[in-house]
Amino acid sequence: MGNVTVLRRSLLLSSLLAPSAGAALLAGLPRPAQAAPMFRSLHMFVPANPGGGWDGLGRAIEQVAREGGLVETFQFENVGGAGGMVGLPRFISQRRNKPDSLLVGGSIMVGAAISNKSPYSLKDVAPVARLTAEAAAIVVPADSAYKDVGQFAAALKADPRAVPVAGGSAGGTDHIVLGQLIKAMGRSAKDANFVAFAGGGPAMAAILGGQVKAGISGWAEFSEQVKAGRLRALATSGEKRTDPNVPTLKESGLDVVATNWRGVFGPPGLKPDGHEALIRFVTALHGLPAWKQLLETRGWDDDFLAGKEFETFLAEDTKTTESVLKDLGLAA
């Protein structure tokens, strides 16, 4: 009987100790390695005020990169003015040679550098990647006499100066779309009656208030008013439809394609490995499912292009923009 009791106690002790022993054994095994962040910290420089499109892209990068473990912390710096031309010199001078820095910018900076005759341009920074694109929309008040883009184009052909159109900064994507459209109608782009506004709010008020005949801006600026029936969207400027119910200029027989693209750039003076590290980071970010989900949620078109391909695109875009701005009388 005593031997049976000893046996039971031994079995009970073994069962109690087994989990601890197993845990000790597992603790001694190598754990699956967790990927280290690609950057401990990134300085995000936005050459615009908080709340705009470039700032929104920067914050989106932060959100997805931190959740995906690519970057531990971000530091933001916003310096707005003149289509990015106030902030650009600051980024160039203060972040030179610093591989933990990114500038958020886009197509507006290309035109702003040319029209403002800036001593600095995107040629002075290191192209990393183009990330998103947004087509411009041409809209009119719901009670406008222009029922479709054909009627609007006919009015421009008859007398461009009689058709004031609201948009963003002079020389920006909105202005360029109008100039290209007038040129496609066989008229001089210099005759464009473009009314520039500093923000979307004042431009919207001018369109709804009948102070202008039409407006051009990113689709996101107008989509809610279009859905509410206060504005009528005549066309968009991308290669494909942004909204299934709104035709593109190209499919309407007008050879005009232009988008407001946004991307990121490194500072000047980077060593090749520093530049490549930034490209690898943005490429990894773009590959995350969370990034694709964010694009869908925000309504942004995925327009990813990295490294040398982005650099080639940028050179071509600069030539095209300069040509249009010359037509508009905004470049020498």
Side-chain angles (χ1 to χ4, degrees):
M1 186 70 179
N3 291 338
V4 173
T5 302
V6 171
L7 179 60
R8 286 175 178 171
R9 286 177 179 174
S10 298
L11 290 173
L12 177 61
L13 183 61
S14 297
S15 65
L16 291 173
L17 289 176
S20 298
L25 179 62
L26 290 173
L29 295 175
R31 295 177 181 270
Q34 184 174 354
M38 301 180 78
F39 288 91
R40 293 294 179 188
S41 179
L42 264 183
H43 185 99
M44 298 291 288
F45 189 96
V46 183
N49 295 325
W54 294 340
D55 188 66
L57 178 59
R59 303 290 172 175
I61 292 172
E62 176 192 25
Q63 175 187 331
V64 176
R66 289 185 66 179
E67 290 176 356
L70 300 181
V71 181
E72 286 188 355
T73 62
F74 281 80
Q75 295 178 337
F76 275 78
E77 184 176 0
N78 292 75
V79 181
M85 292 304 104
V86 174
L88 183 60
R90 180 183 177 95
F91 177 77
I92 290 171
S93 64
Q94 296 192 1
R95 306 307 299 178
R96 182 180 296 272
N97 302 327
K98 296 183 178 180
D100 60 347
S101 307
L102 280 176
L103 168 82
V104 183
S107 56
I108 292 173
M109 294 183 75
V110 177
I114 297 169
S115 58
N116 287 304
K117 299 179 175 61
S118 171
Y120 299 99
S121 72
L122 292 178
K123 294 178 182 177
D124 298 304
V125 291
V128 174
R130 186 183 69 191
L131 287 168
T132 67
E134 184 180 21
I138 301 172
V139 301
V140 295
D143 60 356
S144 171
Y146 307 134
K147 303 303 180 186
D148 56 46
V149 70
Q151 292 180 353
F152 176 70
L156 289 176
K157 184 175 183 178
D159 185 1
R161 295 187 183 277
V163 187
V165 179
S169 58
T173 306
D174 310 340
H175 198 175
I176 287 173
V177 168
L178 180 60
Q180 289 182 320
L181 184 54
I182 292 173
K183 190 175 179 181
M185 300 308 298
R187 298 295 299 257
S188 172
K190 291 181 182 180
D191 291 334
N193 188 353
F194 184 76
V195 185
F197 288 88
M204 183 72 74
I207 299 166
L208 293 173
Q211 299 169 31
V212 293
K213 294 289 185 68
I216 301 177
S217 189
W219 173 254
E221 292 279 346
F222 297 135
S223 60
E224 291 303 316
Q225 297 291 346
V226 171
K227 290 178 184 176
R230 299 186 183 93
L231 292 177
R232 181 187 305 122
L234 302 181
T236 54
S237 65
E239 284 281 0
K240 59 183 181 180
R241 291 192 178 197
T242 302
D243 182 283
N245 300 314
V246 182
T248 66
L249 289 169
K250 193 170 184 179
E251 71 178 279
S252 301
L254 301 162
D255 191 18
V256 176
V257 176
T259 59
N260 181 11
W261 59 263
R262 299 184 179 107
V264 289
F265 302 80
L270 290 180
K271 294 180 180 179
D273 58 345
H275 190 190
E276 284 300 320
L278 289 174
I279 294 172
R280 286 197 302 273
F281 158 65
V282 181
T283 301
L285 177 88
H286 176 260
L288 293 175
W291 181 255
K292 300 187 187 311
Q293 180 61 48
L294 184 141
L295 292 178
E296 185 176 342
T297 302
R298 299 285 181 92
W300 293 343
D301 288 338
D302 188 350
D303 204 27
F304 186 72
L305 196 66
K308 289 293 184 183
E309 290 80 7
F310 179 39
E311 189 174 344
T312 299
F313 161 80
L314 187 60
E316 294 172 352
D317 188 59
T318 301
K319 288 181 181 178
T320 301
T321 301
E322 187 170 18
S323 175
V324 176
L325 291 180
K326 285 180 179 178
D327 292 337
L328 290 168
L330 297 176

